[in-house]
Amino acid sequence: MRRGTDWRWPVAEPMDCPPRLSPNATTVSAPALRDSLLAAMAGDGAIAVDASAVENIGQAVLQILVAACAEARGAGRAFAIIDPSPAFVERVTRCRLAAAVGLETGDSL
């Protein structure tokens, strides 16, 4: 960063397809998910995340999903989990986060 410049968070370009969670959605994959969701928020309309491949999901990814859902709803946009795998549904339900990520609210696409 150069001195005297006005530094801001980069604005991501809108995405054409929804972010897809990896089979092992843990801390290692969390930064990429965050970046993908920032890009999705740069566009218009509903925000969707494909959770069909999830076999294991960790706390960092869950935090990002909860925050993204709250941010989307706060901006008047729908947030949905597309085709959640059984492992995703089980983990989110056991953590009592289903409503916080749109699984119990009917916000499905």
Side-chain angles (χ1 to χ4, degrees):
M1 182 169 65
R2 295 181 303 188
R3 290 181 185 215
T5 60
D6 184 20
W7 186 85
R8 300 183 198 282
W9 286 105
V11 176
E13 293 296 318
M15 294 182 62
D16 293 331
C17 60
R20 184 171 192 195
L21 298 178
S22 65
N24 193 29
T26 61
T27 303
V28 173
S29 63
L33 174 62
R34 181 201 60 220
D35 294 345
S36 294
L37 288 169
L38 286 173
M41 287 295 293
D44 296 322
I47 306 297
V49 176
D50 181 345
S52 60
V54 172
E55 296 172 12
N56 177 39
I57 187 165
Q59 166 265 334
V61 171
L62 289 173
Q63 283 182 319
I64 290 170
L65 292 175
V66 169
C69 185
E71 184 75 20
R73 289 176 177 166
R77 296 168 71 181
F79 183 90
I81 302 296
I82 299 172
D83 193 22
S85 70
F88 179 90
V89 172
E90 180 182 359
R91 175 70 169 182
V92 169
T93 302
R94 291 182 106 198
C95 291
R96 299 178 188 226
L97 294 173
V101 298
L103 286 182
E104 294 179 344
T105 63
D107 289 349
S108 61
L109 295 178

